[in-house]
Amino acid sequence: MKHTNWYKDAVIYQIYPRSFKDSNGDGFGDIPGIISKLDYLKELGVNCVWLSPVYNSPQADNGYDISDYCSIYPPFGTMDDFDLMLKEMHKRGIRLIMDLVVNHTSSEHPWFIESRKSKDNPYRDFYIWKKGKGKNPPNNWTSFFGGKAWEYDELTDEWYLRIFTKEQPDLNWENPKVREEVKKILKFWLDKGVDGFRCDVINLLSKDQSFKSGHELLVKGSSYFVNGPRIHEFLNDLNLSVLDNYDCMTVGETCFTTLEDARMYAGKDRHELNMIFNFDHTSVDNYLGVKWLMRKFKLINLKKAFDKWQYGNKEGWNSLFIENHDQRRSVGRFNTSSTTYRKESSKMLATMCYLQKGTPFIYQGQEIGMTNGDFASLDEIQDTETHTINETMKKMHLPKSFIKKSLYNGTRDNARTPMQWDDSKYAGFSTKTPWLKVNENKSFINVKESLIDENSILNYFKKLIEYRKNEPLIKDGVYLDLDPKNKNVYIYSRKKDNEEIVCISNFSDRTIKYKLKKNQNYKDYQIKLSNYQNNEIDSSFITLKPYEVVVLKNK
Ligand code: ISL
């Protein structure tokens, strides 16, 4: 099979299906809804969609708990709807990557229903069952969502491992039968014509079989299951047995991953994944990568995180993102503004991120500058993680005000509010009360308005995507951070031969007179993109207005 590495030219748009577009008035997004918006995506300029899970699922974690990998959850539509969507995407030159969630299944998956029945059930070893220590779990491992990572099952007097919710039992990848089943799932979707996978928590598959207790501060035991002992063997096997036979792409979600880990997952000739998501840059405003522990943002740390991957991921290829369905919205984050300078902030952040080397991932709504949810109480928040963390923090007797602030700030529902298509009651997302509250700012932040307004964020995203497509330097140019120590300005260049692009961003709400160094003579450079009309550049200074971004090129 010839591999075209098409992912290096992809601009990927993530759809979180339950919040994208409801076609049948049940308040829940669906596949026909997605089909109705494909022309919108085509016009935006994206050429690939990552679709969060649409498989059959009890929805304990919004579809990241799968009970049948080869069927569609009925509220999303039918397999015929899916096939039509894929055909309509391909017709428009848009590829489709699916979400592959194989660290765990749903507790309602037939494998788990069997596994639970008895110790000698043929499916027992599909999951990780252990004897407890007296009344306690087998070890002290904790869940990503807080609390213990084990669940007791009275029927057989054993505990099963579940690193996420109790409805998401971890599969036992030591069992070759599990690996063969996963290969069948991959083949099923690839043979339908899908173009690849975003691989959920893929670096957690292999667990250290000693099952020792961990000493880590927060996710206890993580050193025994993050980038575990057999992970590369498992991924290599999936790749050589299935993925390698298709011109498809994979991007692995890999938390707590170093550059060396990245090289192992997605380095040259490794035959595992094409690229990974690292979370260094989304961890700069918290402690230890834990979003509940908020920390003051410093631009220098953000630049350090980007520099690390731009310089260090030498053999690999980066993924470029600032939003997804687990992160809060980017406007208002990283010292930017979700009010006065919302438009400027959103355009600046996108430019700063997407002109780096790698593949851009845009999360639905980011292209119109959607903001965090405006939840009035915790009852309006649905996400299971938020509620489990709330319980955990209460048990720790943390101050109420801290818990509240931390939950509203960190809840994943911030990114999951219904897509704002217009200013009608339910934002054109649905005709009935949606599953999650629509943000009131739909009255002025919506697609309809953005299409009319020439200076909208949406129209800027179109220009930015178009620019990327026509400028080879963005794919190939060497990245250089020109002023890593500056506290307000992020200025980097992309260079190849005699050509150079310079991207300059002001991360503050003040006008800054940025002094250029002697070797930075941009007098003859042309302005290729900016979020302001009149840019002031002379031979020794660039005046940057609040959240201004300017992209210059020497030819
Ligand atoms: O969002 C996080 C913390 O608040 C992350 O730790 C996140 O839970 C982790 O990156 C794993 O995310 C993925 O797997 C989860 C699922 O809930 C997320 O939506 C998914 O992106 C379990 O399948």
Side-chain angles (χ1 to χ4, degrees):
M1 161 57 58
K2 189 176 174 305
H3 294 275
T4 59
N5 294 340
W6 57 265
Y7 62 86
K8 293 193 176 176
D9 295 302
V11 176
I12 303 181
Y13 186 91
Q14 183 191 352
I15 292 183
Y16 194 66
R18 54 162 59 213
S19 302
F20 190 61
K21 172 72 188 165
D22 170 20
S23 74
N24 60 354
D26 61 0
F28 194 82
D30 49 46
I31 293 174
I34 298 175
I35 299 176
S36 72
K37 295 297 181 187
L38 291 179
D39 286 333
Y40 167 78
L41 295 183
K42 171 91 192 146
E43 275 159 38
L44 176 58
V46 300
N47 54 13
C48 183
V49 162
W50 149 24
L51 184 62
S52 280
V54 287
Y55 319 97
N56 234 324
S57 154
Q59 303 287 321
D61 187 18
N62 293 3
Y64 283 86
D65 50 318
I66 300 170
S67 54
D68 180 355
Y69 287 87
C70 300
S71 71
I72 303 291
Y73 178 54
F76 283 139
T78 62
M79 194 56 94
D80 284 345
D81 293 328
F82 178 87
D83 292 339
L84 179 64
M85 174 183 73
L86 183 59
K87 202 170 125 208
E88 291 296 318
M89 283 181 172
H90 284 168
K91 213 161 86 187
R92 289 168 178 78
I94 298 174
R95 289 185 161 96
L96 175 64
I97 65 171
M98 303 287 283
D99 219 306
L100 181 76
V101 190
V102 289
N103 173 67
H104 44 268
T105 68
S106 158
S107 51
E108 290 182 32
H109 193 292
W111 300 336
F112 191 73
I113 294 176
E114 283 303 309
S115 184
R116 196 173 218 167
K117 281 182 182 162
S118 68
K119 288 184 186 168
D120 54 11
N121 188 287
Y123 285 92
R124 187 69 172 178
D125 283 347
F126 266 53
Y127 296 86
I128 302 165
W129 292 95
K130 295 269 170 241
K131 275 234 137 316
K133 288 191 174 146
K135 287 211 153 121
N136 297 317
N139 63 28
N140 72 351
W141 293 6
T142 50
S143 159
F144 264 64
F145 292 165
K148 57 184 184 307
W150 297 91
E151 207 60 36
Y152 178 65
D153 205 34
E154 215 169 305
L155 193 65
T156 52
D157 185 30
E158 283 195 338
W159 299 69
Y160 64 87
L161 181 69
R162 49 91 173 176
I163 292 173
F164 292 91
T165 68
K166 66 178 190 311
E167 293 89 0
Q168 291 165 298
D170 282 56
L171 280 164
N172 175 18
W173 275 74
E174 296 293 316
N175 181 348
K177 287 188 192 140
V178 167
R179 306 200 292 270
E180 291 316 306
E181 288 296 337
V182 171
K183 288 178 196 168
K184 285 188 210 157
I185 297 166
L186 291 174
K187 259 185 84 44
F188 175 84
W189 291 102
L190 289 166
D191 288 339
K192 264 190 182 291
V194 311
D195 302 283
F197 300 96
R198 173 267 185 188
C199 309
D200 190 68
V201 289
I202 202 72
N203 61 333
L204 306 190
L205 303 187
S206 165
K207 277 84 180 172
D208 187 313
Q209 295 299 298
S210 68
F211 289 95
K212 283 187 199 146
S213 281
H215 300 290
E216 298 79 5
L217 257 180
L218 291 150
V219 187
K220 281 209 171 62
S222 51
S223 56
Y224 293 107
F225 56 78
V226 176
N227 306 318
R230 295 182 70 191
I231 185 64
H232 299 292
E233 174 195 336
F234 296 156
L235 292 182
N236 189 241
D237 178 33
L238 287 188
N239 185 293
L240 294 181
S241 327
V242 186
L243 297 165
D244 208 35
N245 303 326
Y246 301 81
D247 187 20
C248 66
M249 74 152 263
T250 47
V251 50
E253 187 203 25
T254 54
C255 52
F256 305 125
T257 290
T258 63
L259 282 169
E260 175 53 16
D261 295 323
R263 193 192 62 76
M264 306 272 278
Y265 286 119
K268 201 163 166 274
D269 299 329
R270 291 286 306 167
H271 292 282
E272 294 189 21
L273 303 167
N274 293 121
M275 61 180 134
I276 60 157
F277 289 123
N278 88 78
F279 296 92
D280 286 351
H281 61 293
T282 56
S283 305
V284 294
D285 48 7
N286 61 46
Y287 290 101
L288 302 165
V290 178
K291 65 181 172 185
W292 314 108
L293 306 176
M294 296 159 291
R295 181 164 69 149
K296 195 173 153 29
F297 172 79
K298 287 191 182 139
L299 179 62
I300 288 183
N301 294 335
L302 184 73
K303 296 197 277 190
K304 254 190 215 155
F306 281 124
D307 289 353
K308 172 177 162 190
W309 288 86
Q310 289 290 311
Y311 293 142
N313 192 11
K314 286 205 176 65
E315 279 185 23
W317 184 254
N318 284 310
S319 61
L320 308 172
F321 75 98
I322 40 174
E323 291 195 13
N324 66 31
H325 66 294
D326 292 333
Q327 299 286 326
R328 65 185 189 277
R329 291 287 183 179
S330 59
V331 270
R333 196 175 178 184
F334 310 120
N335 203 36
T336 66
S337 156
S338 59
T339 52
T340 322
Y341 295 112
R342 183 182 61 88
K343 285 188 177 178
E344 290 77 5
S345 296
S346 174
K347 294 174 189 176
M348 182 276 280
L349 286 171
T351 316
M352 171 279 300
C353 179
Y354 298 143
L355 295 190
Q356 298 191 20
K357 189 168 183 165
T359 297
F361 288 77
I362 299 167
Y363 177 67
Q364 70 183 39
Q366 188 188 340
E367 77 280 17
I368 55 166
M370 277 178 63
T371 63
N372 282 341
D374 54 351
F375 307 111
S377 79
L378 279 186
D379 298 338
E380 285 184 347
I381 294 177
Q382 312 256 343
D383 185 20
T384 174
E385 181 196 48
T386 313
H387 294 288
T388 324
I389 293 287
N390 186 21
E391 291 311 313
T392 309
M393 293 208 269
K394 281 202 289 204
K395 274 188 205 144
M396 291 163 80
H397 301 291
L398 294 170
K400 271 195 185 138
S401 57
F402 169 85
I403 299 183
K404 201 172 155 198
K405 197 165 161 216
S406 170
L407 294 179
Y408 282 110
N409 178 63
T411 180
R412 304 188 296 181
D413 277 356
N414 277 325
R416 299 175 178 184
T417 60
M419 179 74 183
Q420 293 163 206
W421 296 102
D422 61 35
D423 62 358
S424 62
K425 188 162 183 209
Y426 301 124
F429 163 74
S430 178
T431 49
K432 216 197 96 190
T433 314
W435 71 275
L436 185 66
K437 185 181 175 290
V438 172
N439 196 312
E440 281 309 315
N441 63 22
K442 54 119 177 39
S443 58
F444 62 98
I445 303 177
N446 62 65
V447 171
K448 195 172 164 202
E449 167 77 23
S450 308
L451 288 168
I452 300 165
D453 172 10
E454 213 188 305
N455 287 320
S456 66
I457 298 169
L458 180 63
N459 281 319
Y460 184 87
F461 264 68
K462 288 183 186 175
K463 276 188 232 154
L464 179 63
I465 295 171
E466 188 62 19
Y467 180 59
R468 245 199 93 94
K469 279 190 184 155
N470 296 319
E471 177 50 83
L473 260 192
I474 298 166
K475 187 172 159 190
D476 300 326
V478 175
Y479 168 95
L480 185 67
D481 186 339
L482 300 175
D483 192 359
K485 296 262 148 48
N486 193 295
K487 290 188 177 134
N488 294 306
V489 176
Y490 185 4
I491 169 167
Y492 66 81
S493 77
R494 304 290 315 277
K495 237 180 183 169
K496 195 178 178 190
D497 304 325
N498 295 324
E499 290 188 57
E500 180 181 35
I501 292 172
V502 183
C503 177
I504 313 160
S505 307
N506 178 2
F507 271 76
S508 82
D509 59 1
R510 285 174 293 113
T511 297
I512 288 180
K513 240 182 149 194
Y514 183 71
K515 191 169 166 5
L516 294 167
K517 296 190 193 97
K518 279 215 178 79
N519 60 351
Q520 290 177 308
N521 187 350
Y522 301 139
K523 219 169 58 213
D524 298 328
Y525 283 49
Q526 285 174 2
I527 295 172
K528 296 291 180 184
L529 279 172
S530 178
N531 55 355
Y532 280 85
Q533 302 288 346
N534 302 310
N535 313 88
E536 293 170 48
I537 303 171
D538 68 31
S539 48
S540 50
F541 286 99
I542 298 184
T543 307
L544 295 163
K545 294 178 209 69
Y547 303 108
E548 178 162 349
V549 62
V550 202
V551 179
L552 305 172
K553 180 151 192 227
N554 62 348
K555 277 188 191 163

